[in-house]
Amino acid sequence: MHNGTGLFFWGFLVVYGIIMFAISPKAVTIGGFFKGTDKKGRAASSLMVTSSVFIAWIFAKSVYNCANMGYSYGIVGGIGYAVYWLCIPLTGFAIYRLRRRFAAKSMTDFLTSNYGVAAAFCFSAAILVRLFNEVWSNTSVIGGYYGESGSKPFVIAALLFTAITLGYSCWGGLRSSLITDVLQAGLFVVLLVFTIFWILPEHPMSAYLTSGSWKMDAGVDFVLGALLQCLSYGFHDAVLTDRGFICEEKKMLKCFTVAGLLGFLAITLFSLIGVDAMLSGLENVTDAAQAVAQGMGIAAFFLMAIMMVMCGGSTLDSTFSSLAKLTARDLPAILGKDPHEKARWIGIGFMAFFAVVGNLPMIVGTDILAATTISGTMIMGLGPIFLLHGAGPIKPTKIGFHLSFWIGMILGIVDTVRPESLAFMNIGNGAYANFLGVNFWGAVLCWGSYAVCGVVASMAEKTEGRPAWKGRTDEEIAALDAERSAAGWEDIDPEGIV
């Protein structure tokens, strides 16, 4: 960057930080810090939840990845990456069912009650890995707009961005994240529309829509693999699942559905920027969005940088708030402990720790797409645990949990360390043949093992009437709804005023 341009870019980052601190709440209750309630204990509004889920899932790394997939495979790659957003409504439906039928208060609470402490800790460990990946994979994208990977400007920009986000996250926790997400989501939508209308006229719309080829070795293997990962992917994202417990169930499900569909549309549209790079014949591109923006001048490049900061900031503050809740509330609860007022400081301490440690891979340099596909493979065993729980004749069992969880985890680890050893699972000959094959056969093993264990346990159980593991009856749910409606539960969170 030239000195004048550099001053403009660095100045924006500082102004962004000032604005985020200005709109963040100056003081929040414990309920506000961990559950996003206001000072009166009222749950987050539909606008807040929808905006937060939408923009928190439009990660900086996601925008980076979808543009690159569009560059590599045309519209096929863009749609393939957008498929991940379909797991948001699916995750919302699963949480809706777990809350209403099985009285789940959080993911770890549900696992502890139904599968034991060991299961809850295994799940929490997977969540921590996911949150760790979210730090470096998003700050790396921001740093890329200030310098080459590993360069001094790259590292300084990434760390300054981290410090800004950490600061206002420590200030207000989840409440800060929800409030800033509304602004970030609005700005992102405006900038996305502006960018699309600026860039897409470069080629006929028909060229974008017919780009790529719907063949197995031309990106369809990735589309199918992403669809398989959707069955489990949302459950290991605390940024998403935490928002599944902060408002009334029906409102939450509507918010998740709208946010997921909007996210699918936004990612598909943004991937067209990568398609534009492909149609323009750009070669040796590692960051398609950045390359297209640079080719259109400094104004376009600056606009793209703003979009990335909006996306990265919304995800990173959500990551920090989820880290605080997991370490200061969920993990102690698994052991039957409640740190009370100390919880906020414990959460802030872990936020700061992960802000430092989580940026080490950014400094070293790693593959950002791998942060998505690898973690998605490792947790393929979560799908049956949350989607099949108590369904039909499948009784929840601890052995079923661990077989499903560890089959997926082991396959994911092996596929990361020695992917060639799992080549016998490959489906097709495309670049993602291994990705599709491991996720398909892994899903068969995970779902099969969980279901078989559950059916065997159900057959061995001799009970009259409805077994307890099937959860509340329809009559009990109806009675609970009537009680909540009379008490105004939809508006007031009992924990929010703590």
Side-chain angles (χ1 to χ4, degrees), residues 402-417:
H402 286 286
L403 278 175
S404 182
F405 180 86
W406 287 108
I407 287 173
M409 191 62 64
I410 291 171
L411 284 174
I413 293 173
V414 173
D415 198 41
T416 302
V417 179

Side-chain angles (χ1 to χ4, degrees), residues 86-123:
L86 298 180
C87 79
I88 296 178
L90 178 64
T91 303
F93 169 76
I95 294 176
Y96 173 86
R97 178 173 174 269
L98 296 181
R99 289 179 63 183
R100 289 177 66 78
R101 182 71 65 183
F102 301 100
K105 296 179 180 179
S106 69
M107 301 298 272
T108 51
D109 166 75
F110 167 77
L111 291 174
T112 304
S113 301
N114 293 277
Y115 298 98
V117 171
F121 271 115
C122 288
F123 174 77

